[in-house]
Amino acid sequence: MSRCVALVPAGGVGSRFGAVCPKQYLDVNGLPLMAHTLSALAAVPAIDLVAVVIAPDDTWFDSFDWPMEKLRVLRVGGASRAETVRNGLAALGLAEGDWVLVHDAARCCIDTTQVARLIDTLAEDPVGGLLALPVPDTVKEADAAQRVRGTRPRDGLWLAQTPQMFRSGLLTRALGGGALAESMTDEASAIEALGLSPRLVEGSASNFKVTWPADLVLARAVLAGRNQTEGRE
């Protein structure tokens, strides 16, 4: 049977955030941000293994406890997202047909039910797909002076999220190297470059990526509210 493996690229330093440490290690309600991410993925019954890919010279990871039986740490992070994912796939040595769910370390508010639904929806899909959110707002196109150049119809537009779920063999081929693969910011784009069409599975606005300091405040609030709700059940 095919396995389901979550792969979390975490080799970046979060330079846009401007923190004193890589943002995946910032405190979120008493735990490093990435601990919430990894715990949520590990809690999905269909996921057999959670592999986090960190930089070889990462000095932060071992400063924390990561009590998760499914967790495997791969110190093979590369200079780009594509290289980090590619190195992680090579280190795991998965079978061609195993499913890989690539998830951003900084999307710490991912809900286990969303991940389970993604897996169920794509279990027999010939390509794979990703969580995404239909664009809710009017989309403006700007010129170089940040003045409106036009308004884009939002019908059919989606905001890509993660996890992005593809077969190991297909994803390895899609990320096979070259300037095009290295410039891509998500795995679905690499699959699209092969002429394939990933399936969009509707996600949630709570599955946002912590990019700016204001996002960290929101993440703390979302996770605190979720814990309070679970505590009352």
Side-chain angles (χ1 to χ4, degrees):
M1 292 181 60
S2 299
R3 303 172 71 205
C4 274
V5 174
L7 192 155
V8 180
V13 297
S15 57
R16 285 182 293 177
F17 199 93
V20 295
C21 67
K23 66 182 177 183
Q24 58 266 35
Y25 299 118
L26 290 170
D27 182 272
V28 176
N29 302 351
L31 294 171
L33 183 152
M34 189 167 62
H36 297 281
T37 307
L38 300 177
S39 295
L41 294 171
V44 179
I47 290 180
D48 301 294
L49 177 71
V50 178
V52 58
V53 188
I54 62 176
D57 59 352
D58 186 319
T59 59
W60 291 91
F61 188 88
D62 291 334
S63 300
F64 304 96
D65 292 325
W66 308 89
M68 292 166 239
E69 292 183 2
K70 292 183 180 180
L71 185 63
R72 181 173 173 186
V73 184
L74 306 173
R75 298 179 181 271
V76 294
S80 67
R81 179 189 179 96
E83 184 180 2
T84 296
V85 173
R86 189 167 60 244
N87 291 352
L89 290 171
L92 287 170
L94 301 175
E96 177 92 3
D98 285 341
W99 285 108
V100 179
L101 289 83
V102 183
H103 185 65
D104 298 325
R107 290 186 190 269
C108 59
C109 296
I110 182 64
D111 191 316
T112 57
T113 58
Q114 295 175 30
V115 182
R117 183 161 49 83
L118 179 71
I119 293 172
D120 289 343
T121 302
L122 300 178
E124 303 300 329
D125 197 274
V127 177
L130 63 152
L131 288 180
L133 201 62
V135 172
D137 300 315
T138 300
V139 178
K140 299 293 184 181
E141 182 180 1
D143 61 18
Q146 294 188 347
R147 290 190 174 275
V148 174
R149 182 162 57 189
T151 300
R152 295 281 188 91
R154 65 189 179 202
D155 294 345
L157 294 180
W158 292 63
L159 301 173
Q161 299 182 335
T162 64
Q164 302 195 357
M165 176 176 164
F166 302 101
R167 299 280 187 182
S168 175
L170 176 61
L171 186 55
T172 298
R173 289 191 293 276
L175 297 174
L180 181 61
E182 299 307 317
S183 67
M184 292 176 179
T185 56
D186 74 344
E187 293 65 44
S189 297
I191 300 296
E192 293 164 45
L194 296 179
L196 301 173
S197 298
R199 182 170 177 178
L200 296 166
V201 178
E202 188 166 350
S204 166
S206 65
N207 185 24
F208 59 90
K209 186 176 182 180
V210 174
T211 304
W212 310 107
D215 299 329
L216 190 64
V217 176
L218 181 57
R220 287 171 175 150
V222 169
L223 291 169
R226 189 175 294 169
N227 287 339
Q228 289 177 356
T229 299
E230 292 172 353
R232 290 195 296 267
E233 293 178 352

